Amino acid sequence: MTVNIGSESGSTNWVFIGGGNMAAALIKGCEKKNFVEKHNIAVSVQTGKSAEKWRKQGYDNVFTNTLEMLETYPTAIYIICVKPQVFDEVVSSWPVNSRPKFIISVMAGVPLKTLSEKLPFVSGNTTIVRLMPNVASSIGFSASTMCYEKNDKIENQEVFVECARKFAECVGTVELIPERCFNPAMAIGGSSPAWTFMYIESLADGAVAQGLGRAEAKRLAAQAVVGAAQMLLDSESGFNIESQHFGLLKDKVCSPGGTTIEGVRTLEKNGFRSAVLEAVVATSKKADDMAKSLSK
Ligand SMILES: NC(=O)C1=CN([C@@H]2O[C@H](COP(=O)(O)OP(=O)(O)OC[C@H]3O[C@@H](n4cnc5c(N)ncnc54)[C@H](OP(=O)(O)O)[C@@H]3O)[C@@H](O)[C@H]2O)C=CC1
Ligand SMILES: O=C(O)[C@@H]1CCC=N1
């Protein structure tokens, strides 16, 4: 069995419930790689204003009524892209006779168990994949994670999981992980871009405080972060991410008695590492709490 994905099929088959930041980033990234075309996509949003925005960008299959969209595309791949707080509303918009084969949820803090329990119309023959992409999906640089519950009783489950993986790879990298690790992975893969933007902004502010022009400071700061991350990922740098410690590269930058080590000293004094580590823990715990309150 094959799943007709994206532009391979002439029909609309990627149905996004929620058309905000994350849906827009995923769709943009997939279109960039010719994985889907506009006519393969349907989107539902809450407000007429958002619907108009999508239509102006050339999407015809735009709905402000999720029930109507799901009834129009009963056999599509559904991607749930609403806020977790809105999930119950989406559940109430699900057609009673719907028997989807494949659902992808990008919602933070909504476990697989809750998804299958809250979607009562979904049959035991539905593959549900949790995917946690990030905003860089729009340019093909997401660091995504995905998980699902293996169930041999579900027909062609491996085909749908492979389809989810291809979708995720289209917008960046993807790690298949057990669900018990999903929330800490979400903190890094999904949330950390926000903190990285803050870090880059702070770098630029520091240089501006010392007299560098804002535009140069912003470009330099962003490029310095890209270069550093690339050195960790690209073994051409001589660094092996599997076996070596990040401190090796840090030490190469810190000349004895030099300038950088003064910055390291200041960061350590101000709790830099601890602040980042605690941000990851707090974010992961927040997702744990959301999962608990949703299951009540
Ligand atoms: N933002 C990010 O970087 C990431 C987000 N996520 C996850 O993605 C999900 C969406 O987040 P994000 O895109 O940022 O949120 P947004 O607020 O940008 O988008 C939410 C969308 O849902 C729509 N909506 C609200 N109610 C309904 C409804 N009943 N039926 C259909 N659509 C509805 C909204 O419509 P309208 O536009 O009309 O208001 C909006 O388009 C969240 O669950 C989040 O955890 C995951 C990874 C990263
Ligand atoms: O802030 C959030 O809840 C979502 C999940 C990951 C990134 N944004």
Side-chain angles (χ1 to χ4, degrees):
M1 188 235 175
T2 54
V3 184
N4 276 340
I5 48 174
S7 51
E8 290 163 22
S9 131
S11 60
T12 296
N13 44 17
W14 291 88
V15 166
F16 289 80
I17 303 165
N21 292 319
M22 203 53 242
L26 286 168
I27 292 169
K28 196 170 167 196
C30 286
E31 282 182 10
K32 220 170 119 114
K33 295 274 173 67
N34 298 318
F35 187 73
V36 291
E37 291 174 14
K38 287 188 167 58
H39 64 87
N40 300 125
I41 298 210
V43 189
S44 73
V45 289
Q46 192 176 38
T47 58
K49 195 174 161 204
S50 285
E52 202 40 45
K53 205 169 125 195
W54 281 97
R55 290 194 190 102
K56 272 200 182 130
Q57 291 173 51
Y59 296 87
D60 293 330
N61 314 315
V62 183
F63 295 76
T64 46
N65 181 328
T66 298
L67 174 67
E68 189 191 335
M69 177 174 76
L70 298 182
E71 282 178 340
T72 307
Y73 305 106
T75 59
I77 298 162
Y78 299 137
I79 300 122
I80 305 178
C81 285
V82 293
K83 296 279 185 210
Q85 298 87 330
V86 177
F87 180 49
D88 281 339
E89 207 179 307
V90 166
V91 171
S92 64
S93 307
W94 212 276
V96 181
N97 57 357
S98 168
R99 295 290 177 271
K101 288 253 189 305
F102 184 25
I103 295 173
I104 298 175
S105 164
V106 306
M107 291 182 292
V110 187
L112 290 166
K113 189 167 177 281
T114 308
L115 286 164
S116 54
E117 280 174 3
K118 289 220 173 198
L119 292 169
F121 314 121
V122 164
S123 73
N125 204 18
T126 308
T127 299
I128 304 180
V129 170
R130 280 186 80 186
L131 177 70
M132 184 49 56
N134 73 32
V135 278
S137 296
S138 64
I139 55 159
F141 273 89
S142 177
S144 306
T145 39
M146 63 182 244
C147 69
Y148 72 104
E149 200 170 296
K150 193 167 163 36
N151 183 345
D152 293 334
K153 290 193 186 122
I154 297 182
E155 251 170 81
N156 300 309
Q157 192 189 37
E158 68 291 349
V159 178
F160 290 114
V161 171
E162 192 48 32
C163 176
R165 184 199 285 277
K166 278 188 183 163
F167 174 65
E169 280 176 354
C170 187
V171 295
T173 62
V174 60
E175 309 263 353
L176 180 63
I177 56 165
E179 189 174 29
R180 67 186 153 73
C181 306
F182 202 77
N183 292 343
M186 181 255 343
I188 307 180
S191 300
S192 82
W195 317 327
T196 308
F197 295 137
M198 289 164 69
Y199 171 63
I200 294 171
E201 183 189 347
S202 308
L203 291 176
D205 277 345
V208 169
Q210 289 299 100
L212 184 63
R214 174 64 67 181
E216 292 88 339
K218 287 198 289 188
R219 283 195 299 268
L220 272 172
Q223 181 59 31
V225 170
V226 171
Q230 199 57 31
M231 281 188 79
L232 299 174
L233 290 169
D234 186 344
S235 57
E236 253 186 55
S237 69
F239 184 75
N240 183 337
I241 197 160
E242 305 299 334
S243 62
Q244 289 181 307
H245 194 282
F246 290 168
L248 277 175
L249 287 179
K250 180 211 83 192
D251 288 356
K252 280 191 185 186
V253 189
C254 297
S255 311
T259 54
T260 314
I261 198 70
E262 287 306 314
V264 170
R265 186 177 162 193
T266 306
L267 286 171
E268 295 293 14
K269 203 157 100 190
N270 288 285
F272 177 67
R273 285 186 214 235
S274 168
V276 175
L277 192 154
E278 292 302 332
V280 174
V281 172
T283 301
S284 177
K285 281 189 172 167
K286 172 71 181 179
D288 293 343
D289 292 346
M290 284 162 72
K292 273 185 209 135
S293 70
L294 271 166
S295 69
K296 275 180 196 150

